[in-house]
Amino acid sequence: MADNPFEHAREFLKDNVRQRVDFSSTEQNRGVPAPPLEKPFPADAVRIDLPEGNDPGQLGTMPVGEAIANRESRRNYAETPLTLNELSFLLWASQGIRIRLDRGHALRTVPSAGCRHAFETYLCVLNVEGVAPGIYRFLPLEHQLLLVAGPDHLDLRIGRAALGQMWAGDAAVVFVWSVLPCRMEWRYGMAAHKVIALDAGHVCQNLYLACEAIGAGTCAIAAYDQEAMDRLIGVDGKEEFTIYLAPVGRIR
């Protein structure tokens, strides 16, 4: 019988690797300090303070059951901008910090294997009140936006980098999550990579439900040009690279 061509790829979904990893040799167990919670940035970098985004009652009172029932992938967006309060709420809901434990650990609004939270959140801002179009990085510790770049024709660039899914450029903002694998590898070694993928799902589902609560919509995108997307948000593609994205806009 011929080998199943999918067999090797399916192994990624299994947890057999955990039986092969010597966890005593991981950086955590060798006493190496944990990677920091967020990437550093220059002291003189342009930053935007975000309003407190952790009070959903100020933005919508939809019960969680209703948000789950209404949740769907939405690709058609109105031209009405999102407010900065709404963007702040979506960032808090998807990657907000509840309690900082130490230099390398914090409890957030989403679960993460080993409390490692291996992601950074980049935003391609296209139509948000009070924020100039451009690419920003969310700073969860400071609850701020850090300006990364202001490229021309950002709506077209994001659509092309999403393999021609040009509707992404119609959104008010596109969430682009990058991953720094070292944060998870520090604890789990070669067993890190499956749980990184699982964690990405937790983050995006919170975004879906938070969008529903404020009358916005999103649609997760996992098909993109890896090199183009990495260039767009300014990451090296090796130690940090794009893993997932989700355009967000007001429901048409």
Side-chain angles (χ1 to χ4, degrees):
M1 182 177 180
D3 290 338
N4 186 329
F6 299 111
E7 184 173 358
H8 178 71
R10 288 176 179 178
E11 281 300 310
F12 175 75
L13 297 175
K14 301 178 182 179
D15 207 29
N16 293 327
V17 66
R18 198 172 300 271
Q19 311 305 316
R20 301 191 295 268
V21 172
D22 177 9
F23 286 99
S24 68
S25 67
T26 64
E27 289 183 334
Q28 180 184 24
N29 284 317
R30 288 189 284 112
V32 176
L37 284 169
E38 69 181 16
K39 287 171 55 178
F41 54 88
D44 61 350
V46 176
R47 290 181 280 165
I48 298 173
D49 291 324
L50 290 166
E52 289 299 321
N54 58 359
D55 185 0
Q58 296 179 357
L59 296 167
T61 57
M62 182 180 291
V64 65
E66 186 176 346
I68 292 172
N70 290 343
R71 187 222 61 78
E72 63 180 74
S73 293
R74 304 180 189 274
R75 299 175 178 83
N76 296 307
Y77 308 115
E79 295 181 1
T80 309
L82 289 180
T83 68
L84 193 59
N85 279 337
E86 290 169 331
L87 180 59
S88 177
F89 170 61
L90 297 179
L91 287 164
W92 172 82
S94 55
Q95 278 289 272
I97 290 179
R98 294 166 48 224
I99 302 172
R100 184 173 182 177
L101 301 176
D102 56 37
R103 173 183 176 274
H105 298 81
L107 304 180
R108 302 202 186 197
T109 54
V110 291
S112 176
C115 196
R116 295 310 308 131
H117 298 287
F119 308 120
E120 293 282 343
T121 303
Y122 292 82
L123 300 171
C124 296
V125 173
L126 298 164
N127 192 15
V128 176
E129 290 180 356
V131 183
I135 298 171
Y136 298 81
R137 177 161 62 92
F138 176 47
L139 303 177
L141 293 176
E142 296 79 8
H143 200 64
Q144 294 176 327
L145 298 181
L146 172 76
L147 178 63
V148 174
D152 294 333
H153 309 298
L154 183 55
D155 55 343
L156 298 178
R157 290 172 184 262
I158 193 73
R160 290 167 181 163
L163 294 178
Q165 298 179 83
M166 303 309 293
W167 55 268
D170 297 332
V173 58
V174 181
F175 282 64
V176 182
W177 293 289
S178 71
V179 60
L180 287 84
C182 66
R183 291 182 186 167
M184 195 69 74
E185 293 162 348
W186 172 82
R187 179 176 175 87
Y188 292 113
M190 290 299 295
H193 307 101
K194 174 184 172 180
V195 291
I196 287 174
L198 294 173
D199 278 4
H202 304 325
V203 172
C204 196
Q205 181 66 356
N206 264 30
L207 180 67
Y208 264 96
L209 298 181
C211 283
E212 291 294 333
I214 63 170
T218 188
C219 178
I221 294 177
Y224 51 87
D225 182 322
Q226 186 71 54
E227 292 186 1
M229 194 63 69
D230 290 344
R231 284 196 305 271
L232 186 64
I233 64 171
V235 297
D236 65 13
K238 295 181 179 179
E239 298 303 318
E240 180 183 7
F241 49 88
T242 305
I243 191 170
Y244 213 7
L245 52 148
V248 173
R250 188 82 59 202
I251 296 173
R252 186 183 293 275

